Amino acid sequence: MSQSFDIAVIGATGTVGETLVQILEERDFPVGNLHLLASSESAGHSVPFRGKNVRVREVDEFDFSKVQLVFFAAGPAVTLSFASRAVAAGCSLIDLSGALPADQAPQLVPEANADILASLKKPFQVSSPSPSATTLAVVLAPLLGLLDLQRIHVTACLAVSAQGREAVTELARQTAELLNVRPLEPTFFDRQMAFNLLAQVGKPDDQGHTLLEKRLVRELRQVMALPLLKISVTCIQAPVFFGDSFSVTLQSASAVDLAKVNAALEDAPGIELVEAGDYPTAVGDAVGQDVVYVGRVRHGVDDLSELNLWLTSDNVRKGAALNAVQVAELLIKDLL
Amino acid sequence: MSQSFDIAVIGATGTVGETLVQILEERDFPVGNLHLLASSESAGHSVPFRGKNVRVREVDEFDFSKVQLVFFAAGPAVTLSFASRAVAAGCSLIDLSGALPADQAPQLVPEANADILASLKKPFQVSSPSPSATTLAVVLAPLLGLLDLQRIHVTACLAVSAQGREAVTELARQTAELLNVRPLEPTFFDRQMAFNLLAQVGKPDDQGHTLLEKRLVRELRQVMALPLLKISVTCIQAPVFFGDSFSVTLQSASAVDLAKVNAALEDAPGIELVEAGDYPTAVGDAVGQDVVYVGRVRHGVDDLSELNLWLTSDNVRKGAALNAVQVAELLIKDLL
């Protein structure tokens, strides 16, 4: 066996799947044969890789014993349908859908909890968390040792691209209609998204929490190995095409040393700290980049035990596809 | 003296000033003579009132003894220049600029702290708080008795109209340029505002806090009569023309009774509670309305002592002009 790996990507025609294939190429991931898979509707399309167009085939008919590693970049239903077949064929998997329980496929953010790899058995099953949990984990990891952390508050302002290409098209269409003073006819969103903020992303449960909010809490606790951490979260939908932004408050039991916080963020992998007084934005900084941008590092007003941050990251890239590839880079060290 | 009052409005050509004149008419405020005033650049314009166009005159030349009440709806510099002249002429004032200290002109939100009126002396000097503090005070007032409140977290997503007409025009212009794939040339904002979120509104101080954030903390503490209340606040600029939205978490020392919270919000003046599962938005609900909309009333994920809310209000109307007129309606009862 050479030092290359035969790989499958399921959901290869989606925003995250396509970016994942692009990142495999950019980072010179040792891909032998690449199999791109999707549902029957998307099969037949092709996606560029290393100068060639790779045809997308139906996942139903795929023989998983042909590959050593598969990325699940489609929805949770697809993961639940095919994960056990992949594992039975001896194939390791990285799931981006959040479908698998933590005891089967733990959430992994290389900058935060790479140490869990030691406890995994082949074929490996690993989850790449939601974009929000991934972004927060990258930033929390270097700070945990500096804080006596009591509680995290997050208002996550999510880009419409998290909901796929149709949502992106609809934001553009709604905006154009409003600027041209034409009547607005929402289709993908159930109301005006242009020049507006929606208070929730997806339907809430009986307690009022959305799946995304519960997923963020569950995944972040697992990645940080803090199962009881109090996390207050609201995920809203912003009229932004790409790039998530986060207003974050960390409550510590004692005064936070901002100099140490800044130094830790400056040194940490996967983070770009913006200088004091300035701040990063989704569009101007994060989109297309491989790091989480951090700015507005400050205490609370009259409260030295509070640490406030503003984060922004590319939800498709750093939040999803890149993290999955970074996980794969760790896995293949033990896969031979 | 009849039961009407001669009134002056300074800053009558601004977004808030113009709306204030409109609300005086809508609510049949007992206006005798109305004097509209502005800086020399805006003098000469006219503003409609009761079917006539009222000419705007220069504030510099105004004789404040002609009126019993003046609204300061221009910037803090204008208030600081003319407030003492107004008071010396025996004229009561309501300031919307935040320029006057609380011991001179206390912040007043009728739904929250109308009781402070009893301690005021004529000529009255009252401040109408920032739109964010006003909105939060209206919603906190009916809840305080139900919570053992430890801390408030607010991420305020502010509309560009808070920065005046130029900001509104620029958001529209930037959006049109982007949709037409023309190069973006920010002028009012220092970067792309369309399809983006800006992490701060105005320049931060050496500690990283903006004036708006410090004002919100100071004003809310004063209105709620909780001078030591811990308030964690981030004010961001959203690509929304009109209407502010607020992601709010209230931490209580004990379990929060959601049924009581919902009942209190349902009964409270100045609030419209949206049914569970749904949520209000700036554009779809708040704009043009006289109430603060409240939705997403819920505990924290796994935390019954946390109360989460989503608020939205018309920043020009309920947040500013209407509150000032409501204050005036209270003041005139004692002004005769």
Side-chain angles (χ1 to χ4, degrees), chain A residues 248-249 256 258 276-279 295-309, chain B residues 151 154 199-218 221 231-236:
Chain A
V248 180
T249 303
V256 176
L258 282 189
D278 197 9
Y279 59 88
R296 297 212 71 194
V297 179
R298 65 198 195 280
H299 286 126
V301 176
D302 304 333
D303 189 355
L304 300 179
S305 66
E306 190 184 299
L307 174 62
N308 291 290
L309 305 167
Chain B
R151 196 181 272 267
V154 182
Q200 63 197 27
V201 182
K203 288 225 176 302
D205 65 13
D206 290 345
Q207 279 71 51
H209 307 298
T210 64
L211 198 64
L212 267 183
E213 289 162 351
K214 289 183 289 186
R215 194 177 164 195
L216 186 150
V217 171
R218 187 177 67 238
R221 283 174 175 165
I231 304 173
S232 159
V233 59
T234 301
C235 291
I236 72 172

Side-chain angles (χ1 to χ4, degrees), chain B residues 139 270-274 280-281 285-287 289-295 310-313:
Chain B
V139 176
I271 292 176
E272 178 76 25
L273 178 63
V274 168
T281 73
D285 300 284
V287 171
Q289 300 302 314
D290 288 352
V291 291
V292 177
Y293 283 79
V294 182
W310 174 259
L311 318 180
T312 177
S313 66

Side-chain angles (χ1 to χ4, degrees), chain B residues 89-101:
Chain B
C91 174
S92 290
L93 70 84
I94 297 170
D95 177 46
L96 291 92
S97 78
L100 304 177

Side-chain angles (χ1 to χ4, degrees), chain A residues 192-214:
Chain A
Q192 182 176 332
M193 175 76 259
F195 306 115
N196 203 10
L197 295 166
L198 310 189
Q200 62 198 29
V201 182
K203 287 227 176 301
D205 65 14
D206 289 347
Q207 279 70 51
H209 308 298
T210 64
L211 198 64
L212 267 183
E213 289 162 350
K214 289 184 288 186

Side-chain angles (χ1 to χ4, degrees), chain B residues 107-178:
Chain B
Q107 305 289 340
L108 176 50
V109 176
E111 290 92 336
N113 67 333
D115 56 304
I116 64 158
L117 279 172
S119 64
L120 297 183
K121 291 190 186 71
K122 287 188 214 176
F124 299 127
Q125 297 186 66
V126 177
S127 296
S128 184
S130 62
S132 299
T134 300
T135 299
L136 288 162
V138 167
V139 176
L140 282 177
L143 299 181
L144 273 194
L146 302 175
L147 305 175
D148 185 0
L149 192 61
Q150 305 288 293
R151 196 181 272 267
I152 302 180
H153 287 262
V154 182
T155 295
C157 307
L158 305 182
V160 297
S161 52
Q163 302 207 54
R165 291 207 179 85
E166 218 183 323
V168 171
T169 309
E170 164 117 349
L171 172 58
R173 188 180 59 77
Q174 282 196 12
T175 306
E177 281 172 354
L178 288 167

Side-chain angles (χ1 to χ4, degrees), chain A residues 118-178:
Chain A
S119 64
L120 298 183
K121 291 190 186 70
K122 287 187 214 176
F124 299 128
Q125 297 186 64
V126 177
S127 296
S128 184
S130 62
S132 298
T134 301
T135 299
L136 288 162
V138 166
V139 176
L140 282 178
L143 299 181
L144 273 194
L146 302 175
L147 305 174
D148 186 359
L149 190 62
Q150 306 288 293
R151 197 181 271 266
I152 302 181
H153 287 263
V154 182
T155 294
C157 308
L158 305 182
V160 296
S161 53
Q163 301 208 54
R165 291 206 177 84
E166 220 182 321
V168 170
T169 309
E170 165 117 348
L171 173 57
R173 188 182 59 77
Q174 282 196 12
T175 307
E177 281 171 354
L178 288 167

Side-chain angles (χ1 to χ4, degrees), chain A residues 149-285:
Chain A
L149 190 62
Q150 306 288 293
R151 197 181 271 266
I152 302 181
H153 287 263
V154 182
T155 294
C157 308
L158 305 182
V160 296
S161 53
Q163 301 208 54
R165 291 206 177 84
E166 220 182 321
V168 170
T169 309
E170 165 117 348
L171 173 57
R173 188 182 59 77
Q174 282 196 12
T175 307
E177 281 171 354
L178 288 167
L179 287 185
N180 291 300
V181 203
R182 284 199 301 259
L184 190 77
E185 288 167 12
T187 54
F188 182 88
F189 298 104
D190 68 348
R191 61 191 86 192
Q192 182 176 332
M193 175 76 259
F195 306 115
N196 203 10
L197 295 166
L198 310 189
Q200 62 198 29
V201 182
K203 287 227 176 301
D205 65 14
D206 289 347
Q207 279 70 51
H209 308 298
T210 64
L211 198 64
L212 267 183
E213 289 162 350
K214 289 184 288 186
R215 193 177 165 196
L216 186 150
V217 170
R218 189 177 65 239
E219 293 178 346
L220 193 57
R221 284 174 175 165
Q222 188 243 286
V223 173
M224 304 317 297
L226 293 170
L228 300 176
L229 181 61
K230 286 189 185 299
I231 304 173
S232 158
V233 59
T234 300
C235 293
I236 71 171
Q237 187 77 76
V240 170
F241 290 113
F242 294 95
D244 292 340
S245 299
F246 303 85
S247 167
V248 180
T249 303
L250 308 179
Q251 266 174 250
S252 179
S254 52
V256 176
D257 184 331
L258 282 189
K260 285 187 182 164
V261 165
N262 279 304
L265 292 170
E266 195 75 71
D267 287 347
I271 292 175
E272 178 76 26
L273 178 64
V274 168
E275 65 184 43
D278 197 9
Y279 59 88
T281 74
V283 169
D285 299 283

